[in-house]
């Protein structure tokens, strides 16, 4: 199998966590990457485009975690999405699962890396 990558293309808010606005940030395999600084506010029914690309390299999966800032008390987990290098090439949508509240969908594209 050739080298593959995943490109995150969109996040959609289906339902907010505990109020009308969630203040979001995301992690990839435990490292914060989105937004580049601060937080990103979303309300129910909104979506925003993304343009983050991660090469799988030796990894079989990538974990994307979503959190809702609850300063000064910390943050709530809104769940995670596991993306496998063995998924078919092309577009996919997955709901974040395993979190404490809210409902979000991540859209992404798995693709071969062409050198």
């Amino acid at each position: 199998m050739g080298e593959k990558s995943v490109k995150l293309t969109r996040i959609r808010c289906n339902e907010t966590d505990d109020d009308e606005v969630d203040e979001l940030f995301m992690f990839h395999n435990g490292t914060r990457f989105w937004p580049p600084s601060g937080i990103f506010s979303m309300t129910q029914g909104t979506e925003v485009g993304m343009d983050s690309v991660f090469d799988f390299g030796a990894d079989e999966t990538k974990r994307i975690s979503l959190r809702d800032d609850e300063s000064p008390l910390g943050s709530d987990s809104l769940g995670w999405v596991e993306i496998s290098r063995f998924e078919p090439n092309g577009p996919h949508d997955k709901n974040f699962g395993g979190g404490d509240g809210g409902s979000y969908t991540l859209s992404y594209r798995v693709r071969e890396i062409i050198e």
Side-chain angles (χ1 to χ4, degrees), residues 1 4-5 12 24 26 37 44-45 51 54 57 59 69 76 89 91-92 96 99 102 107-108 112-114:
M1 175 181 292
K4 294 182 92 171
S5 69
R12 176 175 173 74
L24 305 176
M26 255 188 258
S37 64
Q44 184 172 332
D51 192 21
F54 301 104
D59 298 332
D69 183 62
D76 292 338
N89 289 345
H92 302 271
F96 285 86
S107 298
Y108 60 93
E112 298 288 331
I113 297 175
I114 300 172

Side-chain angles (χ1 to χ4, degrees), residues 2 4 61 73 79 81 84 92 103 109:
K4 294 182 92 171
T61 61
L73 304 173
V81 168
S84 170
H92 302 271
S103 172
R109 179 178 295 278

Side-chain angles (χ1 to χ4, degrees), residues 12-19 22 43-45 78 101-104:
R12 176 175 173 74
C13 175
N14 305 310
E15 184 179 336
T16 57
D17 179 25
D18 55 11
D19 50 26
D22 285 343
T43 58
Q44 184 172 332
L78 300 182
S103 172
Y104 284 82

